[in-house]
Amino acid sequence: MLKGVLLKGYGGFYYVQVQQEIWECSLRGRFRVKKQDFLPGDHVRILPADDRTATIEHVYPRTSEMLRPSVANVEQVVLVFPLISPEPDTMLLDRILLQTHWSSLGSAIIFTKIDLLRDQRGQGADLSIAGVYSRLGVPILVLSNVSGEGREEAEELLRGKISVLAGPSGAGKSSLLNMLDEGLGLKTGAVSEKIGRGRHTTRHVELLPVAGGLVADTPGFSALHLPKMAKEDLQKGFPEMAPYRRQCRFSSCLHEREPNCAVRGAVEEGLIEGRRYEHYLAFLNEVKSQKKY
């Protein structure tokens, strides 16, 4: 038997990668009886028949499972956001970062369109946004899907892992994958000048072998609900607050209007980025409005 990773299911067949080969697989009868669900990313054991066909004999336990997109055994979420055209939606970026933190998944950020930013604003274009997020301990890459700048770093980031790309439409996720593997030929969409967003070009979930790893390119989105959590726990998703939280006057401080709040003081001194703090307050109001669980 061979061990591999399920890439996608389609029309009752499942496509499994074993090393560098793709096998078309059907299911053993017992899986149909159990109504076993299969997800891209599942580690499976297959029994070869002939001509790259096989049956799935065993599914290994999952280490993680994402619901949107539906992918198993994800090791990292790579956030792909443009530096320009459209301007980066940092509220959405912080929302996705919070979700990955809550799911105990690794995360990294790729900022695209550095070539376009320099064309419009010169070689000294402001890249302070990259500095803000690098201080959170999140790996940061800045690249161009046109010139290939940052390609080697992106390949290293994806190698040997199951990754999910997440970010708004028009950020260049499909273009990034096409740059890393010209044979993919994924459809890409231009950004609408009227609404400042890209058209969705990814319609379904499958894992793509790219740069020595497996990558799920997900549909773009503009809004996500926060996970259910206690309001006191939200600040755990903002690691830059950690050095100051213990200095607050009240141990239950939510860093809104409480007196002698060290976190607010750090914001005023520029030690915590003001926009991130504004997003924290917006998320706090959202968490408070959630129904009790």
Side-chain angles (χ1 to χ4, degrees), residues 70-143:
S70 297
V71 183
N73 301 314
V74 173
E75 296 168 82
Q76 65 178 354
V77 177
V78 180
L79 289 70
V80 183
F81 276 73
L83 290 166
I84 195 171
S85 187
E87 295 293 323
D89 182 347
T90 55
M91 175 71 87
L92 177 61
L93 195 161
D94 287 339
R95 186 178 289 267
I96 302 175
L97 273 180
L98 182 61
Q99 288 190 320
T100 58
H101 171 82
W102 214 251
S103 301
S104 299
L105 295 172
S107 59
I109 303 174
I110 293 179
F111 289 110
T112 61
K113 304 186 182 181
I114 180 60
D115 54 314
L116 186 58
L117 181 69
R118 288 172 178 156
D119 286 346
Q120 295 192 15
R121 301 182 185 175
Q123 290 297 316
D126 183 12
L127 289 176
S128 59
I129 184 173
V132 168
Y133 289 95
S134 66
R135 289 195 292 273
L136 305 181
V138 179
I140 304 293
L141 300 182
V142 176
L143 58 76

Side-chain angles (χ1 to χ4, degrees), residues 91-207:
M91 175 71 87
L92 177 61
L93 195 161
D94 287 339
R95 186 178 289 267
I96 302 175
L97 273 180
L98 182 61
Q99 288 190 320
T100 58
H101 171 82
W102 214 251
S103 301
S104 299
L105 295 172
S107 59
I109 303 174
I110 293 179
F111 289 110
T112 61
K113 304 186 182 181
I114 180 60
D115 54 314
L116 186 58
L117 181 69
R118 288 172 178 156
D119 286 346
Q120 295 192 15
R121 301 182 185 175
Q123 290 297 316
D126 183 12
L127 289 176
S128 59
I129 184 173
V132 168
Y133 289 95
S134 66
R135 289 195 292 273
L136 305 181
V138 179
I140 304 293
L141 300 182
V142 176
L143 58 76
S144 165
N145 293 331
V146 176
S147 70
E149 178 181 346
R151 174 173 180 161
E152 292 183 0
E153 291 84 353
E155 290 175 337
E156 182 63 29
L157 178 68
L158 300 176
R159 185 173 295 117
K161 297 178 181 177
I162 296 179
S163 306
V164 167
L165 301 189
S169 299
K173 298 188 297 297
S174 296
S175 296
L176 168 63
L177 295 178
N178 284 337
M179 178 187 70
L180 295 174
D181 187 340
E182 297 177 359
L184 289 176
L186 299 177
K187 291 182 179 180
T188 59
V191 173
S192 165
E193 293 184 5
K194 179 182 259 187
I195 62 174
R197 296 200 301 267
R199 294 189 298 272
H200 299 267
T201 56
T202 306
R203 303 294 183 181
H204 61 280
V205 179
E206 67 176 280
L207 288 177

Side-chain angles (χ1 to χ4, degrees), residues 40-74:
D42 274 330
H43 295 284
V44 298
R45 192 167 64 234
I46 66 173
L47 179 63
D50 53 34
D51 195 27
R52 293 290 179 269
T53 63
T55 55
I56 295 178
E57 298 288 324
H58 179 75
V59 184
Y60 292 91
R62 294 167 182 163
T63 59
S64 66
E65 180 178 338
M66 293 187 67
L67 298 179
R68 183 181 178 185
S70 297
V71 183
N73 301 314
V74 173

